[in-house]
Amino acid sequence: MRFILWTMILLVCYTASAEEQHKEVKNMTLEELMQVQIRVSTSSPSERIDKPSVVSIIDRDLIKNYHFESVAEAIRIVAGVEIYQTNLDRNVEAFRGILQNFYSNKVLMMINNIPTWNTLYGNHTLDRVDINDVERIEILKGPASVLYGTNAYSGVINIITNSDEEDKLRGNVKLGYPGINSAHVSYSATFGDFKLAFSGSHSSEYRNPYLMNFAPESVQDITGGIYTFDSVAYFQEKFNTSTANISMSIDEHSFFANIFQNEFTYPGMNISYPSSANSRFRDRGILAGYNLQSLSLNEYLKLNGQLYIDHFVRDHPDNYPKTRAITLHGTKLGGKADARLKLNNYFNLELGADFISGLNYDHKTVFIPSDTTVFLNMKNEKDITEYSVFGQADVKYGIFSMLIGSRYTINDVFNSNLSSRATAGFKLSENHVIKLIYAEAFRTPNMLELYINHPTVVGNPNLDPETSNSYEFTFLSVLEKFMFQGTAYYSNYRDIILRERPDMTKPANYKNVGKFTGYGAELEVRYVNSEILNGYLNYNYLAGEKTPEAFNNYRFVPKHTISVGLDKALGDFRVAANSYIYTKTHGLQEDIKAQYTVNVHLSYHHYLKNGLGITHSISITNINNSNMLIPEYIRRLKNVNELQTTGFGTRFIYSVNLEL
């Protein structure tokens, strides 16, 4: 394998020297990257150095040069971000070590600043956006409820889709081993001030099966079923995803819609064949939203507005004969309006209000042969509606800036919540800034946690909202070719909602966990020099206090993670390699050793007549054939010690991109 790899790299280097007559494909300069107007963290776009929060960016150059196959794979390189797989969901992200419990509901996901999460579970689906549609990914780490309300508990992911200033037609076809294929097409056009873009994609993959260890004796659950946990000798992840996007904009008005269907296998409710291991999960949904951005009434006052609808449907079998399935759906309506008042060159004031309403939900167990309802899986359920008002004031004077803000939320189930934040910034120069940040957040329990009434899990209507606060110190520096961002933080988490099932003969239940503390340090370095080399280095350190509550979270998270990548353009060729490394973690039975994975990418770009550009790419991922195991922390029963996330053996992928 190493001989083949080095032979390919030398061949690329030799051929590139003979192809200098072709136009070189260049990255954006670091100065251009830092001047991109970022939307996350404030209601008005601004440069990264002016943001009042800790923000990381995955830009188009990183996505293109390192051939990330998905949004989950791209954000995993960010310091402080981990991607996990539970026994019910794939690609579940965790920010700063705060584990998601079954579903992704502690990190808010947005697409073009439109929030998306299922009103039943509070979760989102990273796979609903094809990586070929992504212009950049903006990641805010830490509590963010003042701007975004519930679910922005430990951070925010904002996916910005492609928006070309000129007419473009793009296509991508991908084939790989084992069982990889995908196709994507997009078109954008401008008609004066009106812009239109649409895209569609389909991808599928059958990954190598892997063995699940640590499965002792069989147990009997409350329904009388016998679960032999080692019956899942090999689990094979299979998934098929289809997406479609459309966006329109004119002046300050924009409309965006996303439609997706994601089918994937899962290892069973109890990680066993009797509980439907290797059966198909199916998620599908529609997100549609209208944005009014920075409408100027005069030189002092600007208005922003938003309306959206988010509909989600899920179904999956829950027994081995596949005669019984769980189906659910939920719809969320939301809206937001705010006004930004510039009083003078030193002082700005922002005031706003928003609402979220979860309705039209359903959660039931169906007997498939006769299409009859076996269980209604919710009891005494209610619509969950929240109303919020928020305000922020920022002051800038010389090198000093300060932002102070609060959000007051009224929830018809949990009364009220007040979250606040404050940032003090010291701009040492145009390219160097120090920030001191205090931020709070909350997450209200979702309908499942409150009202589920199933033989395997029962909700708790007496749950309290999860709350958190953090103290952060960050230094951001941009030199001619280097970008450096270092952050240290100390965070408190209260009333984390945990699902427990210590006895398989009884239903699981939800409860609030007491307060615990975590702290850490994050380092992000980016080097951009098209004449020599481009690269990134991200390092994360994470730890928690010595209490049972903290131990039960942080023992399943690696204390140290490193992500590193290098890429070099050689004429019309490009060579890139990246690696992801993490240290050992605890498991329920035994420790999981330190692991790493290495990926190599080769690409060639050439131009044809009439502006047609074609890029051929070959990627070899997980060259070292790592398992990339994570603890099976969700159920906390001593039968399965670990799951895989990104291992699944070495993969060979060929892709061709066309642009006209």
Side-chain angles (χ1 to χ4, degrees), residues 283-499:
D283 292 344
R284 51 204 187 277
I286 300 173
L287 173 70
Y290 161 78
N291 278 318
L292 172 68
Q293 182 65 37
S294 297
L295 176 64
S296 297
L297 299 185
N298 53 50
E299 59 180 315
Y300 304 106
L301 183 62
K302 291 185 178 181
L303 301 180
N304 300 296
Q306 183 181 84
L307 289 172
Y308 65 91
I309 183 170
D310 192 2
H311 181 70
F312 176 85
V313 181
R314 166 172 284 186
D315 59 77
H316 63 89
D318 74 339
N319 67 344
Y320 178 67
K322 300 180 183 179
T323 58
R324 198 172 63 229
I326 291 177
T327 67
L328 58 98
H329 68 84
T331 300
K332 182 174 87 275
L333 302 175
K336 177 180 178 180
D338 66 83
R340 186 172 179 85
L341 180 63
K342 182 178 180 180
L343 300 179
N344 51 48
N345 291 330
Y346 308 105
F347 186 77
N348 292 285
L349 181 65
E350 180 181 3
L351 298 172
D354 64 15
F355 77 94
I356 299 171
S357 182
L359 54 123
N360 295 337
Y361 48 84
D362 188 22
H363 195 301
K364 60 186 178 182
T365 301
V366 176
F367 184 63
I368 297 174
S370 61
D371 193 25
T372 56
T373 299
V374 180
F375 303 114
L376 292 174
N377 298 324
M378 306 287 277
K379 183 177 181 181
N380 300 324
E381 67 271 23
K382 303 177 183 177
D383 289 349
I384 297 180
T385 303
E386 289 184 358
Y387 301 93
S388 298
V389 293
F390 58 92
Q392 296 189 124
D394 68 87
V395 180
K396 294 182 179 179
Y397 185 80
I399 67 168
F400 176 77
S401 64
M402 176 169 282
L403 182 144
I404 301 175
S406 292
R407 171 184 290 261
Y408 181 72
T409 301
I410 299 175
N411 183 293
D412 56 4
V413 178
F414 302 103
N415 297 321
S416 62
N417 172 272
L418 179 66
S419 295
S420 302
R421 72 166 175 167
T423 299
F426 302 89
K427 206 167 186 178
L428 307 180
S429 71
E430 286 300 313
N431 297 319
H432 309 280
V433 64
I434 294 173
K435 303 174 188 177
L436 302 173
I437 303 166
Y438 172 78
E440 299 175 344
F442 71 99
R443 184 185 77 86
T444 55
N446 56 56
M447 293 182 180
L448 180 85
E449 294 163 338
L450 294 168
Y451 307 125
I452 187 70
N453 185 35
H454 187 267
T456 61
V457 58
V458 175
N460 180 0
N462 297 314
L463 290 171
D464 293 322
E466 299 176 327
T467 58
S468 68
N469 66 289
S470 72
Y471 305 86
E472 304 174 55
F473 171 85
T474 185
F475 173 64
L476 176 60
S477 177
V478 184
L479 303 176
E480 184 179 359
K481 305 293 183 182
F482 277 98
M483 186 281 295
F484 171 93
Q485 180 170 266
T487 303
Y489 65 89
Y490 180 89
S491 299
N492 297 304
Y493 304 96
R494 292 172 297 277
D495 295 321
I496 291 283
I497 297 173
L498 187 65
R499 179 171 171 175

Side-chain angles (χ1 to χ4, degrees), residues 1 4 175-178 180 618-621 649-654:
M1 176 65 73
I4 295 173
L175 298 172
Y177 173 85
I180 302 169
I618 296 175
S619 297
I620 308 174
T621 65
T650 302
R651 301 157 72 221
F652 301 85
I653 304 170
Y654 166 75

Side-chain angles (χ1 to χ4, degrees), residues 195-216:
K195 297 179 182 179
L196 171 67
F198 62 86
S199 64
S201 69
H202 177 78
S203 62
S204 67
E205 183 171 350
Y206 286 14
R207 290 180 165 174
N208 286 330
Y210 66 90
L211 177 66
M212 289 185 178
N213 297 319
F214 306 104

Side-chain angles (χ1 to χ4, degrees), residues 132-379:
N132 292 289
D133 286 322
V134 177
E135 177 66 26
R136 68 179 181 275
I137 306 171
E138 304 169 352
I139 298 171
L140 186 161
K141 291 171 286 186
S145 284
V146 172
L147 267 183
Y148 301 112
T150 186
N151 283 38
Y153 183 78
S154 57
V156 179
I157 300 168
N158 188 24
I159 301 172
I160 305 298
T161 58
N162 292 322
S163 178
D164 294 303
E165 296 298 324
E166 55 187 11
D167 296 357
K168 285 285 184 182
L169 176 64
R170 292 187 175 94
N172 172 275
V173 176
K174 188 178 301 178
L175 298 172
Y177 173 85
I180 302 169
N181 64 81
S182 70
H184 173 272
V185 64
S186 65
Y187 177 71
S188 59
T190 58
F191 306 92
D193 294 332
F194 180 73
K195 297 179 182 179
L196 171 67
F198 62 86
S199 64
S201 69
H202 177 78
S203 62
S204 67
E205 183 171 350
Y206 286 14
R207 290 180 165 174
N208 286 330
Y210 66 90
L211 177 66
M212 289 185 178
N213 297 319
F214 306 104
E217 69 281 351
S218 303
V219 297
Q220 181 177 4
D221 77 352
I222 192 172
T223 65
I226 302 297
Y227 290 92
T228 306
F229 290 93
D230 61 355
S231 63
V232 186
Y234 288 93
F235 169 64
Q236 184 173 27
E237 187 181 32
K238 306 175 183 179
F239 60 89
N240 294 276
T241 302
S242 300
T243 69
N245 300 316
I246 184 169
S247 62
M248 297 177 285
S249 66
I250 182 169
D251 299 328
E252 298 89 357
H253 308 274
S254 64
F255 171 82
F256 175 79
N258 165 271
I259 304 172
F260 85 102
Q261 177 168 291
N262 183 30
E263 297 180 342
F264 57 96
T265 53
Y266 77 115
M269 301 288 285
N270 293 296
I271 308 191
S272 65
Y273 280 125
S275 66
S276 205
N278 279 335
S279 295
R280 182 196 66 177
F281 249 63
R282 183 173 62 169
D283 292 344
R284 51 204 187 277
I286 300 173
L287 173 70
Y290 161 78
N291 278 318
L292 172 68
Q293 182 65 37
S294 297
L295 176 64
S296 297
L297 299 185
N298 53 50
E299 59 180 315
Y300 304 106
L301 183 62
K302 291 185 178 181
L303 301 180
N304 300 296
Q306 183 181 84
L307 289 172
Y308 65 91
I309 183 170
D310 192 2
H311 181 70
F312 176 85
V313 181
R314 166 172 284 186
D315 59 77
H316 63 89
D318 74 339
N319 67 344
Y320 178 67
K322 300 180 183 179
T323 58
R324 198 172 63 229
I326 291 177
T327 67
L328 58 98
H329 68 84
T331 300
K332 182 174 87 275
L333 302 175
K336 177 180 178 180
D338 66 83
R340 186 172 179 85
L341 180 63
K342 182 178 180 180
L343 300 179
N344 51 48
N345 291 330
Y346 308 105
F347 186 77
N348 292 285
L349 181 65
E350 180 181 3
L351 298 172
D354 64 15
F355 77 94
I356 299 171
S357 182
L359 54 123
N360 295 337
Y361 48 84
D362 188 22
H363 195 301
K364 60 186 178 182
T365 301
V366 176
F367 184 63
I368 297 174
S370 61
D371 193 25
T372 56
T373 299
V374 180
F375 303 114
L376 292 174
N377 298 324
M378 306 287 277
K379 183 177 181 181

